[in-house]
Every structure is written in C-alpha cells, then in structure tokens.
Amino acid sequence: MDEPVTTRYTTPAEKANIAGIELNADDVTHVMSLVDKGLVGAAAMHEGAVQEDMALSAKVTVELTRGGIAGADGSAEELTGTEEITGTIRARKVFLDPDKAPQVDA
C-alpha cells in the first residue's frame, strides 16, 4: 500500500524563515541509549584480543527518514538525511579476577 501524502516541501520563502530543527529531548535520549547499547555490543567482539587497553575506531551512521511528502507529480516521497560520525573510543577489559588476566607483552 502506498503511503499517504501528509505534507509538502517548503517553498523558498518558507525555507528562508527556518532557523533550524529542534529534536524532542526524550526521543534523542532514547535513541542515544540504543547507540550506547550498540557500542557496547560491538566492543564485546574485542574481548578476544589479549591487549587490555584499546583505542577502538568508531563509525556511526545516522539516518533520519520521513515519508509522506508530496512530490512534483503528487505522489508520496521519502526524504532522508544522513550523517556519518567517526571517532575513537578508549576501552579496557574488566576482569572478574584481575589476578587471572592474561599477561601482555610490554
């Protein structure tokens, strides 16, 4: 089933009057908690390395999509904004018994 048209693109005059976008703080907090869980899950793969202190390269892609926008022909279109963020996350292993941690060459 096709998505219904619920809005339209802004006109140039309307767009000139837009100062920015304000995101709902509760929704941002929820999404960031999901990103946090994803980072922890991805970092868990690095338990297999002997090294205890790590600098992990991170790449997060944010994609926000909205549908139901009237296209030139009147049909519904999707609009997607994408941003890729990169950085480094320092991590270290936490051992149940630190005395049994593997020995790491200096």
Side-chain angles (χ1 to χ4, degrees):
M1 185 166 109
D2 291 332
E3 185 173 354
V5 171
T6 57
T7 189
R8 62 177 173 78
Y9 289 101
T10 56
T11 66
E14 292 167 333
K15 192 169 188 171
N17 189 42
I18 297 171
I21 297 289
E22 184 175 295
L23 301 174
N24 178 284
D26 292 336
D27 292 343
V28 170
T29 298
H30 172 71
V31 169
M32 292 308 295
S33 72
L34 297 175
V35 170
D36 185 53
K37 289 176 185 176
L39 290 171
V40 171
M45 296 295 297
H46 296 272
E47 290 176 354
V50 173
Q51 184 183 20
E52 292 181 31
D53 294 318
M54 300 167 270
L56 304 174
S57 296
K59 177 169 63 172
V60 177
T61 302
V62 178
E63 184 175 288
L64 298 176
T65 302
R66 164 176 199 171
I69 302 170
D73 64 357
S75 65
E77 294 182 354
E78 278 191 349
L79 183 61
T80 301
T82 303
E83 196 70 33
E84 187 174 278
I85 301 124
T86 59
T88 300
I89 297 176
R90 289 175 293 187
R92 66 177 182 81
K93 293 181 186 170
V94 178
F95 296 98
L96 296 174
D97 184 348
D99 291 333
K100 294 181 181 176
Q103 296 300 312
V104 180
D105 294 335

